[in-house]
Amino acid sequence: MFVMFINDLVDALKQFGVCVKLFADDVMVYIRVLNNCDVQQLQRALDTLDNWEDVWQLSISVSKCSVVNIGKYCSAFQLTYPK
C-alpha cells in the first residue's frame, strides 16, 4: 500500500536523472557524480523530495538520512546537501 502511495515520488525524482530504489518504507536516491552539474541535479531531486513531503504531509526522518561518497575524487566537488 505504501509503495502505491509514494509511486508519484519515484516519477518526480527520476526526471532529474537520479536512481530511486524503494524497500518497504525506505527510499534510496543516488546518482553518479562526475561533475558539479551532477551535484546540482541531485540537489534538485532532494528539493523535489522536500516539496513532496510538504504536499503529502509525510515527514522524512532526517536522523536516518545519510550521504555516502564512494571514490577517490569525492573531495573534488562541493558536496553539501542542505535541507
Side-chain angles (χ1 to χ4, degrees):
M1 225 23 200
F2 182 74
V3 172
M4 289 174 43
F5 180 74
I6 65 168
N7 196 38
D8 65 323
L9 174 63
V10 174
D11 295 335
L13 293 176
K14 283 191 174 184
Q15 71 178 339
F16 297 102
V18 298
C19 297
V20 181
K21 302 293 182 188
L22 303 174
F23 181 77
D25 64 345
D26 293 329
V27 177
M28 180 173 52
V29 178
Y30 61 94
I31 189 171
R32 184 175 182 189
V33 176
L34 299 174
N35 54 44
N36 283 323
C37 290
D38 295 335
V39 174
Q40 292 170 359
Q41 286 291 92
L42 180 57
Q43 184 59 57
R44 286 187 198 107
L46 294 176
D47 292 341
T48 299
L49 175 62
D50 185 49
N51 291 335
W52 182 89
E53 112 179 274
D54 289 340
V55 168
W56 289 100
Q57 300 175 356
L58 182 67
S59 61
I60 303 297
S61 179
V62 178
S63 63
K64 292 183 177 181
C65 296
S66 62
V67 175
V68 177
N69 297 316
I70 301 172
K72 59 183 177 181
Y73 300 111
C74 294
S75 62
F77 305 107
Q78 183 166 353
L79 301 173
T80 56
Y81 303 105
K83 177 160 172 126

